[in-house]
Amino acid sequence: MKRFSFVFGAFLMTLSLAFAQTAEKKKIYDESANAQQQINDAVAKASTQKKHVLLQIGGNWCAWCIMFNELTQKNEEINSYLNENYEVVHVNYSPKNKNDEVLASLKHPERFGFPVFVILDQNGNLLHTQNSAYLESKEVKGHDPKEVLSFLQSWSYKALDPASYIKK
């Protein structure tokens, strides 16, 4: 019985270590980051590249936030579109750092739950706040790639540039 307890205990320890390492790899939000500085840097970069800024607000504790990030990394079409059209900032919301001042300046997007997405123009002006529930798939757990891409396309710099609509 002692041998079984030892083997079972070792198994549990190995399992918890593997889980901890997996959870560590998925940390996409930096709890210690200065969110306002991250946003300012992204806006400065976006202004020189005719891009908008996508704020993905959430936390490492949020399974839906992690799933959305994985979708944007693994789906080539979405990943490519994001890289070409947006500067992305992961704004942390957690007990250690709720970024209250930043969220207040963004008109409290956390009211929609997490993740929540905020689009800023190349000057840092708030353009849109997106409740992520509208991007979820009805067929499988997660966000619908077509809905996500449509959302990103609808709020890109090009989509809002009046020059895009001038007939030649």
Side-chain angles (χ1 to χ4, degrees), residues 102-112 126 129:
V102 169
L103 296 180
S105 73
L106 298 169
K107 302 183 181 180
H108 296 284
E110 71 275 21
R111 69 188 183 275
F112 295 112
L126 175 66
T129 301

Side-chain angles (χ1 to χ4, degrees), residues 16-138:
S16 66
L17 182 59
F19 178 76
Q21 288 173 341
T22 301
E24 191 68 40
K25 288 180 191 175
K26 291 188 177 184
K27 286 196 175 191
I28 57 173
Y29 295 90
D30 182 353
E31 291 181 338
S32 64
N34 178 331
Q36 189 59 62
Q37 187 60 53
Q38 288 179 304
I39 294 167
N40 293 346
D41 293 346
V43 167
K45 194 171 180 182
S47 69
T48 65
Q49 298 177 359
K50 293 189 176 183
K51 291 182 175 184
H52 283 163
V53 177
L54 171 67
L55 305 179
Q56 181 183 329
I57 304 168
N60 295 315
W61 51 268
C62 170
W64 285 90
C65 300
I66 302 301
M67 286 190 314
F68 182 84
N69 190 69
E70 287 177 0
L71 172 67
T72 64
Q73 297 299 306
K74 292 179 181 175
N75 182 300
E76 287 184 32
E77 187 176 16
I78 293 172
N79 186 276
S80 177
Y81 195 84
L82 265 176
N83 290 329
E84 291 171 14
N85 294 280
Y86 290 93
E87 290 300 317
V88 179
V89 179
H90 292 89
V91 177
N92 180 70
Y93 180 89
S94 68
K96 287 184 179 179
N97 185 1
K98 293 183 179 181
N99 282 304
D100 289 326
E101 288 180 23
V102 169
L103 296 180
S105 73
L106 298 169
K107 302 183 181 180
H108 296 284
E110 71 275 21
R111 69 188 183 275
F112 295 112
F114 299 99
V116 61
F117 310 106
V118 173
I119 305 290
L120 305 177
D121 70 10
Q122 70 280 6
N123 298 313
N125 299 313
L126 175 66
L127 294 175
H128 180 69
T129 301
Q130 179 68 46
N131 180 336
S132 66
Y134 297 121
L135 304 176
E136 292 176 15
S137 172
K138 291 178 177 60

Side-chain angles (χ1 to χ4, degrees), residues 126-160:
L126 175 66
L127 294 175
H128 180 69
T129 301
Q130 179 68 46
N131 180 336
S132 66
Y134 297 121
L135 304 176
E136 292 176 15
S137 172
K138 291 178 177 60
E139 287 78 44
V140 296
K141 185 176 182 178
H143 298 93
D144 184 327
K146 289 178 186 173
E147 292 295 327
V148 170
L149 189 58
S150 177
F151 156 63
L152 295 171
Q153 290 169 336
S154 296
W155 291 99
S156 69
Y157 179 91
K158 185 178 179 183
L160 299 180

